[in-house]
Amino acid sequence: MPDTQALVNDFLNKLKKRKIEGSQATARQTAELLRSVISQQRVPYTNQAGALIDAVKAVGEQLIAANPVELAVGNIVRHVLHIIREEDLSLTTAAIAAVAAAARSTLRPPSLQTLLEETPVSAAVPRTSSSGGDSEGKSKSADKSSRSRKLKHDVIEAVNELIQDIVTCHEQIAEQAVEHIHQK
């Protein structure tokens, strides 16, 4: 994959020299650039959304400074920042709901049917303390890693939808124009 900074510099030159004509083309190329920045950004285990937001803000400030007259660039940057915040919020909400559901199930006394259906796992498979601790640590690490990939994946999918909306917006407006013109 090409270096992200090289892509940013190439797009900055195009913006400065005004080689991109039209707001739609500018918006589409800005969204595609930000998608590549997000996909190549390494996110830490903690504050993943913050790392993505910082990366998009840094690139966005450069793009806006290159051609402040082109408002589509700033609008797309702000829209992508909104997407990142919304996806992080939805993942956090889902995680909190899962923890709350687990807490409710542990606070509720087990029913007679669940006690009869459960088989004693500890009697069937003897575990050593070292293997149990290792697998627990690995599962926590895998969970954090999957959450990080989930956030990036969800953000990239949402940006792909944004790009598709930008590409098809004129077609959708043209289809609906006749209805709006002849509406009483």
Side-chain angles (χ1 to χ4, degrees):
M1 289 196 140
D3 184 37
T4 306
Q5 193 58 41
L7 291 173
V8 171
N9 290 336
D10 183 46
F11 191 64
L12 285 172
N13 287 334
K14 288 180 183 177
L15 282 175
K16 286 179 185 176
K17 295 177 182 177
R18 299 176 194 251
K19 291 194 175 194
I20 304 171
E21 294 183 13
S23 294
Q24 183 183 16
T26 305
R28 182 182 50 79
Q29 290 183 17
T30 302
E32 289 171 353
L33 176 70
L34 292 177
R35 177 183 60 192
S36 67
V37 167
I38 290 168
S39 67
Q40 294 179 8
Q41 178 69 29
R42 294 196 179 271
V43 292
Y45 286 131
T46 59
N47 198 16
Q48 300 151 2
L52 290 177
I53 287 171
D54 291 343
V56 170
K57 274 186 181 179
V59 171
E61 288 172 357
Q62 292 176 357
L63 297 178
I64 293 169
N67 190 355
V69 176
E70 185 59 68
L71 300 176
V73 173
N75 288 340
I76 295 299
V77 169
R78 284 187 291 278
H79 196 90
V80 170
L81 290 171
H82 175 74
I83 287 171
I84 294 169
R85 290 182 186 110
E86 287 295 313
E87 293 299 332
D88 183 51
L89 180 66
S90 69
L91 281 176
T92 304
T93 304
I96 290 173
V99 168
R104 279 193 302 270
S105 68
T106 58
L107 292 176
R108 189 178 316 137
S111 68
L112 183 59
Q113 182 176 359
T114 58
L115 288 174
L116 292 174
E117 288 177 351
E118 290 179 0
T119 59
V121 175
S122 60
V125 180
R127 292 188 307 178
T128 61
S129 62
S130 63
S131 68
D134 290 345
S135 66
E136 185 176 309
K138 288 178 185 176
S139 68
K140 286 181 182 178
S141 172
D143 183 44
K144 288 180 180 179
S145 176
S146 70
R147 185 172 184 269
S148 140
R149 280 183 264 138
K150 176 81 172 142
L151 177 66
K152 277 180 69 170
H153 176 73
D154 289 351
V155 169
I156 290 171
E157 284 297 315
V159 172
N160 285 337
E161 290 174 13
L162 173 64
I163 292 169
Q164 190 62 35
D165 287 346
I166 291 169
V167 169
T168 61
C169 73
H170 289 295
E171 296 166 3
Q172 293 171 353
I173 291 171
E175 289 173 2
Q176 296 173 1
V178 175
E179 295 173 16
H180 290 292
I181 291 171
H182 296 295
Q183 192 177 31
K184 291 184 182 181

